[in-house]
Amino acid sequence: MIAPLDPADPAFARDPYPYYARLRDRGPAVRVPLANGTYAWLVTGYERTRAVLADPRFSNVPPRGAGRPKGDSPAQRARACLARHMLNSDAPDHTRMRRLTTAAFAPRRVDALRPRIEELTTGLLREMELRLRGEGSVDLVDTFAFPLPVLVIGEVLGVPEADRADLRDWTYRVGSPADALEPGAVDEAWTGLYAYFTELIARKRRAPGSDLFSALTQDATEGGLDDGELLAMAFLLLFAGYETTMNLLASASLLLLTHPGELAAARRDPARWPAVVEETLRHASPLEGTTWRHTTEEVDLGEGVVIPAGASVLAVLAAANRDPRHFPDPDAFRPARYLTDAAAGGTRTAPHAAFGHGPHFCVGSRLARLEATIALPRLLAAFPDLCLTADPAQLPYRPGLLVRGPRHLPVTTAPLPAREAVSA
């Protein structure tokens, strides 16, 4: 019998992998009881996960009334509007909305952000050094892993820096199980986001800038976004633009600080840093699961597993990336899996599923990788004696089944000698 799954349980949030391994051993998908009294089918194997993500019989459009607050409340109306983004849509609406954002995240445009990301990284490291000198220890999430992607996506979207702390708080709340927070906290977040983005769109229309969101608000071509879709797109790009990258940076830092041999190898050979990033994406996927799907018809997944029509389904990326049938020794952190081998014609390990698969593959994945490959080596070069001040097994993690990463990462360093501030 499968034990009920409580996504708000701190112990599960810290280490969900044993639970997912038990599910994986039971077959392609398992009907799991949730702590809120409902049931969902969880898909945990690598091949089946990729198949589900590309199968149109698994719809991304939420069933009417799914997950909304009861009654006709402002929070219900705000959530319904902000949920109209492309991750909650199917073709042809998804195709149209994705086309409008894909161009903005094209490789050339993303790569052009490198100098600005380097500049922002240097500034944050200087501030971090000052705080370490003054306070002795800092929270790496709050001082580095969070502000860098927020600054980057804020520039991409044209969000004023003064507003970014509120946006972080609101998006954190809406991505967490309601029972993990104070009563009313999630509703307040939905209404706050709705009000903020309504005003942001109005400002962009009055005085557009060179940012992506200004371009989206000014797009009057056929197939452009209506007002509701603009609100939802603003929410999606902000949430996806910083949350996954923040978790990637925090998780990679934690893994390297607890695997000194891998850290030393990356410091000796800078060519290993992309492999560190890829292995972090596999081993500690910043997206724990995809958005919820439901079956539009009965689906036979094989091995005697048939999911009925209308069932809620979650493809668990974090579980797929630990599938031993696809990744040897899956629970080990080994960046060498992703070192290129020219003689073999490419990488030694097939792609992970950290950014999804198929038509819903994350358009911002290149930006996340760029930020990480710039920020991680600079962080760990600037502070060669960086170390944790807490037991890694007791660190608090983000609750829920959507995104995953340490909420706090307290670090310190050996006494810093008198030297110039962190340089570019």
Side-chain angles (χ1 to χ4, degrees):
M1 181 176 179
I2 294 295
L5 172 58
D6 181 5
D9 180 4
F12 173 81
R14 276 194 299 270
D15 186 13
Y17 302 107
Y19 184 91
Y20 293 147
R22 291 193 294 272
L23 294 185
R24 213 169 32 236
D25 289 342
R26 293 175 68 98
V30 179
R31 185 172 181 259
V32 173
L34 303 180
N36 62 7
T38 63
Y39 286 82
W41 289 82
L42 268 58
V43 183
T44 52
Y46 180 86
E47 296 296 344
R48 288 315 200 294
T49 292
R50 288 174 66 89
V52 165
L53 296 182
D55 190 332
R57 295 175 296 176
F58 294 87
S59 174
N60 290 272
V61 179
R64 184 178 297 276
R68 297 176 183 172
K70 295 180 180 180
D72 184 22
S73 66
Q76 178 187 19
R77 294 190 293 272
R79 182 172 183 170
C81 182
L82 294 175
R84 290 180 59 196
H85 55 70
M86 62 184 178
L87 294 189
N88 285 340
S89 65
D90 297 328
D93 286 340
H94 175 268
T95 306
R96 172 177 57 85
M97 288 187 277
R98 186 179 177 91
R99 173 180 55 81
L100 293 169
T101 54
T102 297
F105 289 95
R108 182 178 300 177
R109 293 194 64 170
V110 170
D111 293 346
L113 291 169
R114 174 179 288 274
R116 182 58 176 149
I117 296 172
E118 292 173 343
E119 180 182 1
L120 292 170
T121 299
T122 297
L124 289 172
L125 292 176
R126 286 173 177 154
E127 294 175 10
M128 185 172 163
E129 179 173 349
L130 290 175
R131 289 192 57 182
L132 281 167
R133 287 182 180 277
E135 302 171 23
S137 66
V138 298
D139 183 342
L140 191 62
V141 174
D142 286 341
T143 59
F144 191 73
F146 159 65
L148 178 61
V150 166
L151 288 169
V152 173
I153 201 63
E155 296 209 353
V156 171
L157 298 181
V159 173
E161 187 171 351
D163 299 341
R164 293 169 192 173
D166 284 340
L167 291 173
R168 181 206 184 188
D169 178 58
W170 289 330
T171 54
Y172 175 83
R173 288 195 240 166
V174 301
S176 300
D179 53 2
L181 304 171
E182 294 295 323
V186 176
D187 286 2
E188 291 174 2
W190 282 116
T191 54
L193 284 166
Y194 181 86
Y196 179 81
F197 286 131
T198 298
E199 175 56 28
L200 179 66
I201 290 170
R203 292 203 308 265
K204 297 297 181 185
R205 283 181 168 152
R206 291 193 303 266
S210 59
D211 56 272
L212 162 65
F213 203 61
S214 290
L216 290 175
T217 60
Q218 300 299 310
D219 189 347
T221 61
E222 183 177 355
L225 302 177
D226 62 33
D227 284 355
E229 289 172 336
L230 276 172
L231 283 166
M233 186 67 75
F235 166 68
L236 173 63
L237 292 177
L238 177 75
F239 184 86
Y242 92 80
E243 182 83 29
T244 53
T245 307
M246 175 183 71
N247 291 333
L248 170 59
L249 292 172
S251 295
S253 299
L254 175 59
L255 285 167
L256 290 168
L257 292 175
T258 54
H259 293 78
E262 296 293 351
L263 175 55
R267 282 172 165 158
R268 287 194 304 269
D269 180 8
R272 294 179 68 98
W273 285 107
V276 167
V277 172
E278 294 306 312
E279 176 67 346
T280 301
L281 290 169
R282 184 204 66 82
H283 185 274
S285 177
L287 282 176
E288 186 163 354
T290 61
T291 52
W292 287 94
R293 287 161 163 76
H294 71 277
T295 47
T296 59
E297 60 184 80
E298 184 179 272
V299 179
D300 187 346
L301 285 184
E303 300 182 35
V305 176
V306 177
I307 302 179
S312 294
V313 180
L314 182 69
V316 187
L317 303 179
N321 288 333
R322 298 271 189 117
D323 187 342
R325 292 166 294 187
H326 193 77
F327 300 101
D329 196 12
D331 294 324
F333 176 65
R334 291 197 295 105
R337 297 176 202 270
Y338 288 97
L339 289 177
T340 57
D341 185 346
T347 58
R348 293 176 181 151
T349 299
H352 49 68
F355 287 114
H357 179 64
H360 288 270
F361 184 79
C362 177
V363 297
S365 61
R366 188 181 185 92
L367 179 58
R369 286 182 168 100
L370 179 63
E371 291 180 57
T373 53
I374 290 172
L376 290 170
R378 287 173 173 242
L379 166 70
L380 293 160
F383 304 105
D385 298 320
L386 199 67
C387 58
L388 294 170
T389 63
D391 180 357
Q394 298 302 316
L395 291 172
Y397 271 73
R398 186 80 148 81
L401 297 170
L402 177 58
V403 292
R404 184 172 188 276
R407 293 175 58 185
H408 302 290
L409 202 58
V411 295
T412 189
T413 186
L416 294 170
R419 57 182 174 88
E420 295 182 3
V422 175
S423 59

